[in-house]
Amino acid sequence: MSDTTVAELSHEIEGSGQGRSLWQDARRRFLQNRAAVVSLIVMIIIALIAIFGPLFAAWNNEEVDWNVLGDIASMGGPSIENGHYFGVDELGRDLYARVVQGTQVSLMVGVIGSLIAVTFGTLYGATAGYVGGRTDNIMMRLVDILMSIPYMFVLILLLVVFGRSMWLLFVGIGLISWLEMSRIVRGQTLALKSKEYVEAALATGVKHRVIVTRHIIPNLMGIIVIYATLLVPQMILTESFISFLGLGVQEPNTSWGALISEGASTLQYGTYWQLVFPLAFFIVTLFCFFFIGDGLRDALDPKDR
Amino acid sequence: MTTQETVLSVNDVKVYFKIGSTGLLGRREQRYVKAVDGISFDIKRGETLGIVGESGCGKSTLARAVIRMVPAHAGRVLWMGEDLLELDSEAMRDKRKDLQMIFQDPLASLNPRMTLGQIIAEPLKTHFPQMPKSEMREKVAAMMKRVGLLPNMINRYPHEFSGGQCQRIGIARALILEPKLIICDEPVSALDVSIQAQVINLLMDLQKEMNLSLMFIAHDLSVVKHISTRVMVLYLGNVVENADSDDIYANPTHPYTRALIAAVPDLDKPAPADRASLMVDGELPSPLAPPSGCPFRTRCPLVQDICVSEKPPLTETARGHSVACHFPTASPH
């Protein structure tokens, strides 16, 4: 620590013209958090597997291996020789290819779902908070009402009534998760709005639109990034739960939740790998996201400054 | 001195804040906080008006009402003969070029995500969006030099600076448009005493150079004495005394002003024997329910019956010296 201060001091004495922005500070703090950095690396590996995994698969995810289908419990286990690195599922399909496919779907649900939630929640919350007054009141009461609806029940009902589809799942998850985001953003906006630098900008004659984009949003970014990272695992969990109930993604598509559900139901035949591999990916990813989110919060939290 | 033109003329401005909003079910009674209750004053070109008073007396609200940061209830704010309170928002935006403000908390008034260069250039960008980048950079660099910031600091962020430096940045931002009036809302009360003097002297130098008018709000009388040409004392949203700076310190007429001046500790002079009798007890009454008659009567040592029934008007007792009291200079000082 003393080394860095000395380095910083000499840096200042030399009078280099470049300042450290808050983002640079945050990055330095994030990189000092070992758990977060390891999680980030693991997360990148998982994402790479999702993208490039199919290239290394010996089997297609839809092919049935008739050689092992007769006796999956003893012959369908993980093996390098027959190309089933993770074994096969109960229909004789390559589990590695299936897990890669499930990873793609689950990560997509998580990332797209939280992107919808973050974008919409930020716009909604920032508008309510900045405009204030009656508008704010009406907008936030609407959020309260929507929040009081038992959304899992509604989502399941929607999936049953309109049939199971990926899009409905995206929309359903995305549309309910922005509520919390909008509350957080609104609260932050209210706090930022009364900051003296916003007042200074107003006194200079800066337009409201510019104040939101130049002064409010950049100062909200920290909390948005943190919340988005913590939202992804939440999305994945919700999707997995729905899929576990058998209402989520449809065959031949799959997700971690669907794979875990299948693996759990065949556990009694001794095909442990059908549960272990998807579950391992699932748990590792969730942990990674939580650690990364934690690291980001420590790095970006303004109270630390 | 009398030939100088008046740039800002504030006329009976009132700022009331409504409290007790209408609930969902039925109306609740409307009450008002009278933050500023009919204040008038003039500022001439190149002049500094010091505004003093204890916390909650409406100093900051008055300043914000002048530049329409809070809506005024009534009154007129004549800026070079034009009523600012009647301009539409577009015209007002244009006027803001001439009216700038310096804030109390130097760090909080700077956006932590912007570099010093961006912060100082923001007013230029707002009012002269077509100005070429190079010209803007030149102007920023020149202004930084003028307020005593090194050119290599231009890409630094506010959190890398000390309070005094941050206030210099705030001053540079306020001056970059070459305004005519600067409102300083307790610009030095968050700074160390040694830095205070630097910032005050910087402000005074710049004032002389650019022929600026200042509206200087403070609760530190010695600071105000140093910088002001005129001093206005506020109490509970009302002017109690308004006079030339030298005059008011030598010759305080209102009991409240006398108490304020007596409360300033002075190492060179022994405390006046009657210091205790000059002091005021108690607290500022709530502006929600101000006392009848004279606002100061609840704490005034000289209170009489007439003070309860009648509010003393601001009257000129000597040339350029106005006071709102039924018994001005009732006791020798």
Side-chain angles (χ1 to χ4, degrees), chain A residues 230-253:
Chain A
L230 293 175
L231 204 57
V232 174
Q234 221 173 306
M235 295 283 145
I236 294 174
L237 267 172
T238 310
E239 186 278 328
S240 297
F241 178 67
I242 303 269
S243 294
F244 191 85
L245 294 179
L247 289 167
V249 292
Q250 286 268 314
E251 290 283 353
N253 240 324

PDB file of all heavy atoms in Angstrom, chain A residues 230-253:
ATOM      1  N   LEU A 230     -26.020  -8.519 -10.620  1.00  0.00           N
ATOM      2  CA  LEU A 230     -26.723  -9.340  -9.638  1.00  0.00           C
ATOM      3  C   LEU A 230     -28.073  -9.820 -10.181  1.00  0.00           C
ATOM      4  O   LEU A 230     -28.653 -10.770  -9.647  1.00  0.00           O
ATOM      5  CB  LEU A 230     -26.940  -8.538  -8.346  1.00  0.00           C
ATOM      6  CG  LEU A 230     -25.653  -8.202  -7.602  1.00  0.00           C
ATOM      7  CD1 LEU A 230     -25.942  -7.302  -6.414  1.00  0.00           C
ATOM      8  CD2 LEU A 230     -24.946  -9.467  -7.141  1.00  0.00           C
ATOM      9  N   LEU A 231     -28.532  -9.168 -11.235  1.00  0.00           N
ATOM     10  CA  LEU A 231     -29.830  -9.536 -11.802  1.00  0.00           C
ATOM     11  C   LEU A 231     -29.702 -10.777 -12.689  1.00  0.00           C
ATOM     12  O   LEU A 231     -30.624 -11.585 -12.761  1.00  0.00           O
ATOM     13  CB  LEU A 231     -30.362  -8.361 -12.622  1.00  0.00           C
ATOM     14  CG  LEU A 231     -31.860  -8.278 -12.842  1.00  0.00           C
ATOM     15  CD1 LEU A 231     -32.579  -8.252 -11.505  1.00  0.00           C
ATOM     16  CD2 LEU A 231     -32.193  -7.038 -13.632  1.00  0.00           C
ATOM     17  N   VAL A 232     -28.535 -10.918 -13.365  1.00  0.00           N
ATOM     18  CA  VAL A 232     -28.360 -12.046 -14.286  1.00  0.00           C
ATOM     19  C   VAL A 232     -28.587 -13.381 -13.577  1.00  0.00           C
ATOM     20  O   VAL A 232     -29.402 -14.187 -14.044  1.00  0.00           O
ATOM     21  CB  VAL A 232     -26.973 -11.980 -14.956  1.00  0.00           C
ATOM     22  CG1 VAL A 232     -26.734 -13.217 -15.791  1.00  0.00           C
ATOM     23  CG2 VAL A 232     -26.867 -10.745 -15.820  1.00  0.00           C
ATOM     24  N   PRO A 233     -27.918 -13.663 -12.443  1.00  0.00           N
ATOM     25  CA  PRO A 233     -28.180 -14.944 -11.788  1.00  0.00           C
ATOM     26  C   PRO A 233     -29.627 -15.101 -11.346  1.00  0.00           C
ATOM     27  O   PRO A 233     -30.170 -16.213 -11.372  1.00  0.00           O
ATOM     28  CB  PRO A 233     -27.242 -14.940 -10.581  1.00  0.00           C
ATOM     29  CG  PRO A 233     -26.837 -13.536 -10.398  1.00  0.00           C
ATOM     30  CD  PRO A 233     -26.882 -12.897 -11.734  1.00  0.00           C
ATOM     31  N   GLN A 234     -30.246 -13.991 -10.985  1.00  0.00           N
ATOM     32  CA  GLN A 234     -31.651 -14.050 -10.583  1.00  0.00           C
ATOM     33  C   GLN A 234     -32.513 -14.523 -11.757  1.00  0.00           C
ATOM     34  O   GLN A 234     -33.404 -15.354 -11.593  1.00  0.00           O
ATOM     35  CB  GLN A 234     -32.076 -12.644 -10.174  1.00  0.00           C
ATOM     36  CG  GLN A 234     -32.952 -12.578  -8.963  1.00  0.00           C
ATOM     37  CD  GLN A 234     -33.138 -11.117  -8.582  1.00  0.00           C
ATOM     38  OE1 GLN A 234     -32.194 -10.363  -8.390  1.00  0.00           O
ATOM     39  NE2 GLN A 234     -34.381 -10.698  -8.514  1.00  0.00           N
ATOM     40  N   MET A 235     -32.204 -13.971 -12.932  1.00  0.00           N
ATOM     41  CA  MET A 235     -32.917 -14.360 -14.154  1.00  0.00           C
ATOM     42  C   MET A 235     -32.717 -15.847 -14.429  1.00  0.00           C
ATOM     43  O   MET A 235     -33.653 -16.574 -14.752  1.00  0.00           O
ATOM     44  CB  MET A 235     -32.327 -13.601 -15.351  1.00  0.00           C
ATOM     45  CG  MET A 235     -32.515 -12.142 -15.292  1.00  0.00           C
ATOM     46  SD  MET A 235     -34.176 -11.768 -15.737  1.00  0.00           S
ATOM     47  CE  MET A 235     -34.424 -10.417 -14.675  1.00  0.00           C
ATOM     48  N   ILE A 236     -31.443 -16.274 -14.323  1.00  0.00           N
ATOM     49  CA  ILE A 236     -31.120 -17.675 -14.604  1.00  0.00           C
ATOM     50  C   ILE A 236     -31.877 -18.569 -13.630  1.00  0.00           C
ATOM     51  O   ILE A 236     -32.442 -19.604 -14.014  1.00  0.00           O
ATOM     52  CB  ILE A 236     -29.595 -17.900 -14.504  1.00  0.00           C
ATOM     53  CG1 ILE A 236     -28.898 -17.119 -15.617  1.00  0.00           C
ATOM     54  CG2 ILE A 236     -29.262 -19.371 -14.594  1.00  0.00           C
ATOM     55  CD1 ILE A 236     -27.398 -17.141 -15.542  1.00  0.00           C
ATOM     56  N   LEU A 237     -31.921 -18.155 -12.386  1.00  0.00           N
ATOM     57  CA  LEU A 237     -32.639 -18.936 -11.375  1.00  0.00           C
ATOM     58  C   LEU A 237     -34.125 -19.032 -11.710  1.00  0.00           C
ATOM     59  O   LEU A 237     -34.704 -20.125 -11.647  1.00  0.00           O
ATOM     60  CB  LEU A 237     -32.481 -18.265 -10.004  1.00  0.00           C
ATOM     61  CG  LEU A 237     -31.329 -18.750  -9.138  1.00  0.00           C
ATOM     62  CD1 LEU A 237     -31.192 -17.860  -7.915  1.00  0.00           C
ATOM     63  CD2 LEU A 237     -31.571 -20.190  -8.703  1.00  0.00           C
ATOM     64  N   THR A 238     -34.717 -17.906 -12.082  1.00  0.00           N
ATOM     65  CA  THR A 238     -36.147 -17.911 -12.397  1.00  0.00           C
ATOM     66  C   THR A 238     -36.427 -18.842 -13.571  1.00  0.00           C
ATOM     67  O   THR A 238     -37.328 -19.676 -13.524  1.00  0.00           O
ATOM     68  CB  THR A 238     -36.616 -16.489 -12.748  1.00  0.00           C
ATOM     69  OG1 THR A 238     -36.175 -15.609 -11.734  1.00  0.00           O
ATOM     70  CG2 THR A 238     -38.116 -16.421 -12.866  1.00  0.00           C
ATOM     71  N   GLU A 239     -35.585 -18.678 -14.615  1.00  0.00           N
ATOM     72  CA  GLU A 239     -35.779 -19.502 -15.810  1.00  0.00           C
ATOM     73  C   GLU A 239     -35.624 -20.974 -15.447  1.00  0.00           C
ATOM     74  O   GLU A 239     -36.415 -21.813 -15.883  1.00  0.00           O
ATOM     75  CB  GLU A 239     -34.776 -19.082 -16.883  1.00  0.00           C
ATOM     76  CG  GLU A 239     -34.946 -19.761 -18.219  1.00  0.00           C
ATOM     77  CD  GLU A 239     -34.303 -21.124 -18.246  1.00  0.00           C
ATOM     78  OE1 GLU A 239     -33.272 -21.331 -17.557  1.00  0.00           O
ATOM     79  OE2 GLU A 239     -34.849 -21.997 -18.924  1.00  0.00           O
ATOM     80  N   SER A 240     -34.624 -21.287 -14.643  1.00  0.00           N
ATOM     81  CA  SER A 240     -34.378 -22.677 -14.280  1.00  0.00           C
ATOM     82  C   SER A 240     -35.533 -23.240 -13.486  1.00  0.00           C
ATOM     83  O   SER A 240     -35.932 -24.390 -13.668  1.00  0.00           O
ATOM     84  CB  SER A 240     -33.094 -22.784 -13.456  1.00  0.00           C
ATOM     85  OG  SER A 240     -32.018 -22.378 -14.222  1.00  0.00           O
ATOM     86  N   PHE A 241     -36.077 -22.401 -12.617  1.00  0.00           N
ATOM     87  CA  PHE A 241     -37.206 -22.844 -11.810  1.00  0.00           C
ATOM     88  C   PHE A 241     -38.392 -23.199 -12.703  1.00  0.00           C
ATOM     89  O   PHE A 241     -39.008 -24.255 -12.568  1.00  0.00           O
ATOM     90  CB  PHE A 241     -37.577 -21.751 -10.810  1.00  0.00           C
ATOM     91  CG  PHE A 241     -38.755 -22.097  -9.955  1.00  0.00           C
ATOM     92  CD1 PHE A 241     -38.669 -23.133  -9.028  1.00  0.00           C
ATOM     93  CD2 PHE A 241     -39.942 -21.411 -10.083  1.00  0.00           C
ATOM     94  CE1 PHE A 241     -39.752 -23.463  -8.234  1.00  0.00           C
ATOM     95  CE2 PHE A 241     -41.032 -21.738  -9.294  1.00  0.00           C
ATOM     96  CZ  PHE A 241     -40.932 -22.766  -8.365  1.00  0.00           C
ATOM     97  N   ILE A 242     -38.678 -22.298 -13.661  1.00  0.00           N
ATOM     98  CA  ILE A 242     -39.790 -22.535 -14.585  1.00  0.00           C
ATOM     99  C   ILE A 242     -39.533 -23.798 -15.407  1.00  0.00           C
ATOM    100  O   ILE A 242     -40.415 -24.644 -15.582  1.00  0.00           O
ATOM    101  CB  ILE A 242     -39.961 -21.324 -15.519  1.00  0.00           C
ATOM    102  CG1 ILE A 242     -40.191 -20.060 -14.716  1.00  0.00           C
ATOM    103  CG2 ILE A 242     -41.076 -21.558 -16.540  1.00  0.00           C
ATOM    104  CD1 ILE A 242     -41.599 -19.719 -14.422  1.00  0.00           C
ATOM    105  N   SER A 243     -38.284 -23.915 -15.879  1.00  0.00           N
ATOM    106  CA  SER A 243     -37.944 -25.084 -16.685  1.00  0.00           C
ATOM    107  C   SER A 243     -38.007 -26.352 -15.851  1.00  0.00           C
ATOM    108  O   SER A 243     -38.382 -27.413 -16.345  1.00  0.00           O
ATOM    109  CB  SER A 243     -36.551 -24.931 -17.282  1.00  0.00           C
ATOM    110  OG  SER A 243     -36.543 -23.882 -18.199  1.00  0.00           O
ATOM    111  N   PHE A 244     -37.604 -26.238 -14.606  1.00  0.00           N
ATOM    112  CA  PHE A 244     -37.633 -27.398 -13.707  1.00  0.00           C
ATOM    113  C   PHE A 244     -39.075 -27.885 -13.550  1.00  0.00           C
ATOM    114  O   PHE A 244     -39.340 -29.078 -13.478  1.00  0.00           O
ATOM    115  CB  PHE A 244     -37.048 -27.011 -12.350  1.00  0.00           C
ATOM    116  CG  PHE A 244     -36.790 -28.182 -11.444  1.00  0.00           C
ATOM    117  CD1 PHE A 244     -35.598 -28.896 -11.529  1.00  0.00           C
ATOM    118  CD2 PHE A 244     -37.733 -28.577 -10.518  1.00  0.00           C
ATOM    119  CE1 PHE A 244     -35.366 -29.976 -10.709  1.00  0.00           C
ATOM    120  CE2 PHE A 244     -37.505 -29.663  -9.689  1.00  0.00           C
ATOM    121  CZ  PHE A 244     -36.322 -30.371  -9.775  1.00  0.00           C
ATOM    122  N   LEU A 245     -39.996 -26.933 -13.537  1.00  0.00           N
ATOM    123  CA  LEU A 245     -41.403 -27.303 -13.438  1.00  0.00           C
ATOM    124  C   LEU A 245     -41.924 -27.869 -14.754  1.00  0.00           C
ATOM    125  O   LEU A 245     -43.050 -28.349 -14.817  1.00  0.00           O
ATOM    126  CB  LEU A 245     -42.248 -26.082 -13.058  1.00  0.00           C
ATOM    127  CG  LEU A 245     -42.019 -25.491 -11.679  1.00  0.00           C
ATOM    128  CD1 LEU A 245     -42.913 -24.285 -11.493  1.00  0.00           C
ATOM    129  CD2 LEU A 245     -42.293 -26.520 -10.605  1.00  0.00           C
ATOM    130  N   GLY A 246     -41.099 -27.782 -15.810  1.00  0.00           N
ATOM    131  CA  GLY A 246     -41.521 -28.306 -17.101  1.00  0.00           C
ATOM    132  C   GLY A 246     -42.277 -27.297 -17.938  1.00  0.00           C
ATOM    133  O   GLY A 246     -42.923 -27.652 -18.911  1.00  0.00           O
ATOM    134  N   LEU A 247     -42.204 -26.019 -17.556  1.00  0.00           N
ATOM    135  CA  LEU A 247     -42.939 -24.999 -18.301  1.00  0.00           C
ATOM    136  C   LEU A 247     -42.024 -24.098 -19.112  1.00  0.00           C
ATOM    137  O   LEU A 247     -42.494 -23.220 -19.825  1.00  0.00           O
ATOM    138  CB  LEU A 247     -43.746 -24.126 -17.340  1.00  0.00           C
ATOM    139  CG  LEU A 247     -44.949 -24.800 -16.704  1.00  0.00           C
ATOM    140  CD1 LEU A 247     -45.464 -23.976 -15.551  1.00  0.00           C
ATOM    141  CD2 LEU A 247     -46.042 -24.986 -17.744  1.00  0.00           C
ATOM    142  N   GLY A 248     -40.738 -24.326 -19.000  1.00  0.00           N
ATOM    143  CA  GLY A 248     -39.806 -23.396 -19.632  1.00  0.00           C
ATOM    144  C   GLY A 248     -39.557 -23.739 -21.076  1.00  0.00           C
ATOM    145  O   GLY A 248     -40.501 -23.935 -21.842  1.00  0.00           O
ATOM    146  N   VAL A 249     -38.278 -23.842 -21.426  1.00  0.00           N
ATOM    147  CA  VAL A 249     -37.909 -24.086 -22.816  1.00  0.00           C
ATOM    148  C   VAL A 249     -38.383 -25.471 -23.249  1.00  0.00           C
ATOM    149  O   VAL A 249     -38.512 -26.395 -22.445  1.00  0.00           O
ATOM    150  CB  VAL A 249     -36.390 -23.950 -23.006  1.00  0.00           C
ATOM    151  CG1 VAL A 249     -35.993 -22.522 -22.810  1.00  0.00           C
ATOM    152  CG2 VAL A 249     -35.646 -24.869 -22.067  1.00  0.00           C
ATOM    153  N   GLN A 250     -38.614 -25.590 -24.552  1.00  0.00           N
ATOM    154  CA  GLN A 250     -39.196 -26.805 -25.139  1.00  0.00           C
ATOM    155  C   GLN A 250     -38.126 -27.663 -25.811  1.00  0.00           C
ATOM    156  O   GLN A 250     -37.205 -27.134 -26.405  1.00  0.00           O
ATOM    157  CB  GLN A 250     -40.195 -26.360 -26.205  1.00  0.00           C
ATOM    158  CG  GLN A 250     -41.459 -25.793 -25.647  1.00  0.00           C
ATOM    159  CD  GLN A 250     -42.484 -26.876 -25.487  1.00  0.00           C
ATOM    160  OE1 GLN A 250     -42.693 -27.670 -26.365  1.00  0.00           O
ATOM    161  NE2 GLN A 250     -43.099 -26.948 -24.337  1.00  0.00           N
ATOM    162  N   GLU A 251     -38.286 -28.950 -25.740  1.00  0.00           N
ATOM    163  CA  GLU A 251     -37.432 -29.842 -26.531  1.00  0.00           C
ATOM    164  C   GLU A 251     -37.610 -29.499 -28.011  1.00  0.00           C
ATOM    165  O   GLU A 251     -38.710 -29.108 -28.407  1.00  0.00           O
ATOM    166  CB  GLU A 251     -37.868 -31.297 -26.296  1.00  0.00           C
ATOM    167  CG  GLU A 251     -37.543 -31.816 -24.929  1.00  0.00           C
ATOM    168  CD  GLU A 251     -36.068 -32.171 -24.768  1.00  0.00           C
ATOM    169  OE1 GLU A 251     -35.324 -32.126 -25.788  1.00  0.00           O
ATOM    170  OE2 GLU A 251     -35.658 -32.480 -23.661  1.00  0.00           O
ATOM    171  N   PRO A 252     -36.611 -29.564 -28.846  1.00  0.00           N
ATOM    172  CA  PRO A 252     -35.273 -30.058 -28.544  1.00  0.00           C
ATOM    173  C   PRO A 252     -34.383 -29.033 -27.865  1.00  0.00           C
ATOM    174  O   PRO A 252     -33.232 -29.333 -27.584  1.00  0.00           O
ATOM    175  CB  PRO A 252     -34.748 -30.405 -29.929  1.00  0.00           C
ATOM    176  CG  PRO A 252     -35.413 -29.420 -30.826  1.00  0.00           C
ATOM    177  CD  PRO A 252     -36.749 -29.184 -30.244  1.00  0.00           C
ATOM    178  N   ASN A 253     -34.893 -27.806 -27.647  1.00  0.00           N
ATOM    179  CA  ASN A 253     -34.103 -26.828 -26.912  1.00  0.00           C
ATOM    180  C   ASN A 253     -33.984 -27.263 -25.457  1.00  0.00           C
ATOM    181  O   ASN A 253     -34.801 -28.037 -24.967  1.00  0.00           O
ATOM    182  CB  ASN A 253     -34.788 -25.473 -26.960  1.00  0.00           C
ATOM    183  CG  ASN A 253     -33.906 -24.448 -27.606  1.00  0.00           C
ATOM    184  OD1 ASN A 253     -32.684 -24.498 -27.425  1.00  0.00           O
ATOM    185  ND2 ASN A 253     -34.491 -23.530 -28.356  1.00  0.00           N
TER     186      ASN A 253
END
